[in-house]
Amino acid sequence: MAKLVSDFLLERLTEWGVTRIFGFPGDGINGMLGALDRAKDKIEFVQVRHEENAAFMACAHAKYTGEVGVCMATSGPGAIHLLNGLYDAKMDHQPVVAIVGQAARMAMGGNFQQEVDLDSLYKDVAREYIHTLMVPEQAQTLVDRAMRIAKGERTVTAIVIPKDVQELDASKPPRKHNATHTGVGFPDIHMVPSEADLKRTADLLNDGKKVAMLVGAGALGAADEIIEVAELLGAGVAKALLGKAVVPDDLPYVTGAIGLLGTEPSWKMMVECDTLLMVGSNFPYSEFLPKVGQARGVQIDIDPKLLSLRYPMEINLVGDSKQTLRALIPYLKKNKHHSWRKGIEKGMEDWWKVMDARAKDSAKPINPQRVFQELSPKLPDNCILSSDSGTSADWFARHIKIRKGMKASLSGNLATMCPGVPYAIAAKFAYPDRVPIALVGDGAMQMLGNNGLITISKYWKKWKDPRLVILVLHNDDLAQVSWEQRVMSGDPKFIGTQRVPDFPYAEYAKLLGLKGVFVNDPEKIAEGWDDVLSADRPAVLEVITDPAVPPLPPHISFDQMVKYGSVLLKGDPDEVDIIKSTWKSEMSTLFS
Ligand SMILES: Cc1ncc(C[n+]2csc(CCOP(=O)(O)OP(=O)(O)O)c2C)c(N)n1
Ligand SMILES: [Mg+2]
């Protein structure tokens, strides 16, 4: 059989190193499905239950491996379903290529069934590159450009293929006018600032008496350099949430998360520092950074568009974080102002005690913080964590101590619900011998997570280590938003919008042939974790948690305090429990 355009496309993708595509079929990509069958020894197709999950998986593949993630969907509805996951990738700067079908060329423009104007629909999400493949000779150019631009710009690109084109004979561009001849491959980029800029930077940093570092996802892979720089400068290191795995939390000067979900030592360090070194971070909340004018700033980022975006920096450097820090280190002097560093370390020592105390506060029936606090020391080496966007993100940010070798991510900039489960699935496909752990709320489980369990049940027997763990915080509440309403808007929880219907998550897992463990007694949490982490198959740990435990920011503003207090007078259904929980949390902070 002659090679078809769809065969050629897959072949070209394999030349780019693609080994897996996440997707869901439809007749708009029939030709691609046939080709996937013929190419099954080289490219694995992971079939999801909803295209949004496929896009989340492609995003997670990129986040956890550094490779380009690829997802595929049919024309019209399939392409529409991908969108949220594609935005997740775009906003967290991940290279993802979406391949989507389209009506046949003959039908296009005829208001045909499933004919959606995909150029317009993807105009924003794939603005760096979206093209429709109209003739076979274009195929290599479109694949090469979609892959190269996704990787080079760390963004989402899309190839739209009318269904009839997929089944045409493949044809290389001829050697004649109007033909374009592209090639495969992406170089390792060595990007460091000039010697003069490095020296200037070192002078500024060497002058600092109280140096704070903020590292983000762009610093993943630069752990050794971050640690060496922090040691030399006597600095503390705060981590934006996407950069949680940059450096381990067992280093005494790592202050952990920053921002609303952050730690008090991160907050204090930013308020008091005289020098800020920001590496690979686009952390959005400026109010958690030093006051403008308070600190001299240096920022290192590979993307010039992100420089001086959140804080006006004195020196802006464009470069790869690892290579730039490596080049900078010889110019740095050992800082002699030990008291700054000692203060940070003492602050962290106290903070971990606060975390421990808060986790021990009693709740009805289980304090979610305790679930995370008990998981932390039990995390298997090299595990891969994913968190969803509910309160799990708060507890993940604060209570989980990352160790060397682990990976961790979540939807950082889009902060969408539902990435937890598909991220874990993509992690498992990429690293079948490691243990992914997804930390998810019940709202997100009902939205997409439960159908992710069906995908897990379809594939788990192929995995080298069958363990994949999903924690469900069963609190019958969209708790994160209930809290945002209380604290930001002064509104009490409205059952009509916030209550999540009951659902038996562990039982459902069992129904699917997975392991399900149900815990509603705080004394059984540890045993629950041991059960799921040693299971012979993927497992759901369903824990009944108290929605009244407040995800308190590291410091609460007067305005927020007033609003927060006022909701209790307006008849919040969780009123009594909230008062108790908040009081307990505050007491833990005072007396630890
Ligand atoms: C797709 C999407 N819809 C809505 C939101 C707003 N939102 C953020 S967190 C959250 C609550 C999530 O509830 P759940 O998953 O049960 O977690 P909990 O906060 O209860 O732990 C909501 C509705 C969002 N971020 N993304
Ligand atoms: Mg919930």
Side-chain angles (χ1 to χ4, degrees), residues 315-531:
I315 301 182
N316 294 289
L317 300 175
V318 178
D320 171 88
S321 50
K322 186 180 178 71
Q323 293 158 359
T324 301
L325 292 174
R326 199 34 63 223
L328 180 66
I329 285 168
Y331 298 110
L332 296 179
K333 296 198 187 112
K334 185 96 186 119
N335 185 298
K336 301 212 166 63
H337 304 280
H338 302 297
S339 60
W340 169 247
R341 170 71 150 263
K342 278 203 188 109
I344 292 171
E345 295 190 5
K346 173 77 177 69
M348 267 330 272
E349 234 181 270
D350 293 346
W351 177 256
W352 286 120
K353 285 185 203 151
V354 170
M355 289 297 92
D356 203 35
R358 280 193 190 167
K360 283 185 182 136
D361 292 338
S362 59
K364 265 184 30 187
I366 290 179
N367 179 343
Q369 296 167 106
R370 179 160 171 189
V371 183
F372 286 67
Q373 191 80 4
E374 296 210 9
L375 166 64
S376 196
K378 291 180 187 289
L379 288 170
D381 289 342
N382 297 322
C383 67
I384 305 176
L385 292 150
S386 58
S387 168
D388 224 276
S389 294
T391 54
S392 56
D394 299 74
W395 321 131
F396 161 74
R398 295 204 185 125
H399 290 270
I400 295 290
K401 277 192 182 181
I402 286 284
R403 301 196 307 270
K404 200 172 176 193
M406 295 177 180
K407 293 176 186 279
S409 202
L410 79 177
S411 173
N413 289 290
L414 186 61
T416 176
M417 285 170 71
C418 299
V421 174
Y423 273 30
I425 297 173
K428 193 69 190 181
F429 275 99
Y431 303 99
D433 55 344
R434 295 171 71 163
V435 185
I437 304 173
L439 310 163
V440 185
D442 47 4
M445 278 309 280
Q446 293 187 16
M447 198 182 255
L448 274 186
N450 279 343
N451 81 24
L453 292 184
I454 307 173
T455 303
I456 293 170
S457 74
K458 175 177 159 86
Y459 288 109
W460 73 269
K461 289 190 180 134
K462 290 189 191 171
W463 296 334
K464 188 164 170 210
D465 179 334
R467 291 174 299 168
L468 182 160
V469 173
I470 295 169
L471 166 72
V472 184
L473 294 179
H474 185 158
N475 56 12
D476 293 332
D477 190 20
L478 300 170
Q480 183 75 1
V481 174
S482 304
W483 280 103
E484 283 164 355
Q485 276 183 279
R486 289 178 183 121
V487 178
M488 312 279 186
S489 308
D491 286 330
K493 172 164 136 183
F494 171 40
I495 296 278
T497 60
Q498 301 311 110
R499 180 146 186 117
V500 174
D502 221 6
F503 186 87
Y505 305 92
E507 285 303 312
Y508 183 54
K510 286 191 216 163
L511 204 64
L512 291 167
L514 311 175
K515 187 168 177 104
V517 176
F518 176 85
V519 174
N520 63 357
D521 170 358
E523 298 312 317
K524 299 271 166 63
I525 297 170
E527 195 183 315
W529 277 124
D530 291 340
D531 273 1

Side-chain angles (χ1 to χ4, degrees), residues 199-233:
K199 282 189 187 147
R200 224 158 49 87
T201 303
D203 288 345
L204 189 159
L205 295 173
N206 288 335
D207 267 358
K209 295 186 175 57
K210 302 182 211 169
V211 185
M213 292 173 69
L214 171 60
V215 301
L220 287 165
D224 293 344
E225 289 74 16
I226 299 279
I227 291 170
E228 207 172 326
V229 169
E231 297 280 1
L232 280 165
L233 298 177

Side-chain angles (χ1 to χ4, degrees), residues 545-588:
T545 53
D546 188 348
V549 173
L552 290 177
H555 65 101
I556 191 161
S557 71
F558 183 69
D559 182 44
Q560 286 169 341
M561 185 72 94
V562 169
K563 286 185 172 151
Y564 176 43
S566 73
V567 298
L568 303 177
L569 303 172
K570 294 185 194 164
D572 192 290
D574 296 339
E575 179 181 338
V576 176
D577 296 331
I578 289 172
I579 293 171
K580 282 192 202 150
S581 289
T582 311
W583 187 79
K584 279 185 226 156
S585 287
E586 286 304 308
M587 295 312 266
S588 315

Side-chain angles (χ1 to χ4, degrees), residues 6 25 45 61 65 77 121 127 167 171-172 181 213 478 567:
S6 47
F45 183 76
H61 181 85
T65 67
L121 183 74
R127 76 177 90 104
E167 296 182 349
S171 174
K172 287 249 177 191
H181 301 273
M213 292 173 69
L478 300 170
V567 298

